[in-house]
Amino acid sequence: MSMIELVGVRKAYPTAAGEREVIHDASVSVGGGEIVHLDGASGAGKSTLINLCGLLTQPTEGRVLVDGVDTTALGDRERTRLRARRIGMVFQSHRLLPELTSVENLRVAALVDDREAIAAGLVSFGLGEHLRDRAKLLSGGQQQRVAALRALVNKPGLVLADEPVSGLDGPNAEAILDRLAEAAAEGAAVIIASHDPRVERIATRRLLVTEGSLA
């Protein structure tokens, strides 16, 4: 069964000049173990698709199914609960809590507060010297590694990453891609929105986003 499925999804926003369509009739299904690379130019609609899959926004038309559940029929609280249990997201801008430490940022997201496991995960990701550093004092690469671990801390069935390696040097980028590949190997469905060709190394499928349409 698909972990995430978009069926005839359309997303539009009202503007002063009328409706602006961002996603047009998008349909895609991604199962566990797959790594789908959403490729396309900036502004093509990749981030909007990630937000739709992550239940951060609702489609104007169509359906979004997560683990077989039609989320368009759920209320806000039910979608939030489903997202916490089944979805991990790596945001382009990290979205860490700046005054909290690396460990604390992961503990806030964790459904089970296992401090030792959280610390061990950070150590294994080369962040052992920064466990107690506040997020705002970390470098961009360090923040993105913490953000990637936060997305994976609950072993979600669906992992969504929006430009996870943009602007990162080789080692930092490769480390994050390797972790995303490990999540897929453990059974997660992984979708990476990026125009960075390095994503192709781990992708099992590539979808091109062009003016809101998938090909």
Side-chain angles (χ1 to χ4, degrees):
M1 186 174 69
S2 298
M3 186 61 216
I4 177 73
E5 185 175 7
L6 271 58
V7 182
V9 166
R10 175 176 174 270
K11 182 64 180 179
Y13 296 97
T15 69
E19 190 179 70
R20 182 174 69 91
E21 187 177 69
V22 182
I23 301 297
H24 173 71
D25 193 25
S27 294
V28 65
S29 177
V30 184
E34 284 194 271
I35 303 174
V36 172
H37 177 197
L38 289 181
D39 198 0
S42 297
K46 301 189 301 297
S47 293
T48 301
L49 283 167
I50 288 289
N51 289 337
L52 285 162
C53 291
L55 312 184
L56 295 177
T57 187
Q58 285 282 83
T60 304
E61 296 176 9
R63 297 186 298 150
V64 177
L65 289 81
V66 174
D67 204 10
V69 176
D70 186 351
T71 65
T72 50
L74 301 180
D76 290 343
R77 184 173 297 179
E78 292 171 304
R79 284 195 298 274
T80 298
R81 188 178 300 119
L82 180 60
R83 183 168 58 246
R85 292 199 322 266
R86 303 297 289 151
I87 302 174
M89 298 189 70
V90 185
F91 297 99
Q92 190 172 164
S93 56
H94 315 314
R95 295 197 188 180
L96 299 176
L97 297 173
E99 296 298 332
L100 297 188
T101 67
S102 300
V103 170
E104 289 167 343
N105 266 281
L106 267 64
R107 289 181 62 197
V108 166
L111 296 175
V112 177
D113 189 9
D114 188 336
R115 299 186 190 188
E116 291 186 5
I118 287 171
L122 287 162
V123 170
S124 72
F125 213 10
L127 293 163
E129 296 181 359
H130 304 285
L131 300 181
R132 295 176 178 81
D133 290 351
R134 285 182 291 175
K136 68 180 183 180
L137 301 178
L138 300 175
S139 70
Q142 291 164 349
Q143 287 186 38
Q144 193 68 327
R145 277 182 282 166
V146 174
L149 287 174
R150 179 187 57 188
L152 301 172
V153 69
N154 295 317
K155 297 188 180 299
L158 174 62
V159 180
L160 305 168
D162 189 2
E163 296 290 359
V165 296
S166 178
L168 298 184
D169 61 20
N172 279 318
E174 295 303 318
I176 289 173
L177 292 175
D178 287 343
R179 283 302 170 102
L180 294 174
E182 287 173 16
E186 293 170 359
V190 179
I191 301 177
I192 305 172
S194 178
H195 59 268
D196 194 313
R198 292 176 291 186
V199 173
E200 288 298 304
R201 178 175 66 83
I202 65 167
T204 60
R205 183 160 40 127
R206 175 179 175 269
L207 293 174
L208 183 63
V209 186
T210 306
E211 295 182 352
S213 295
L214 283 172

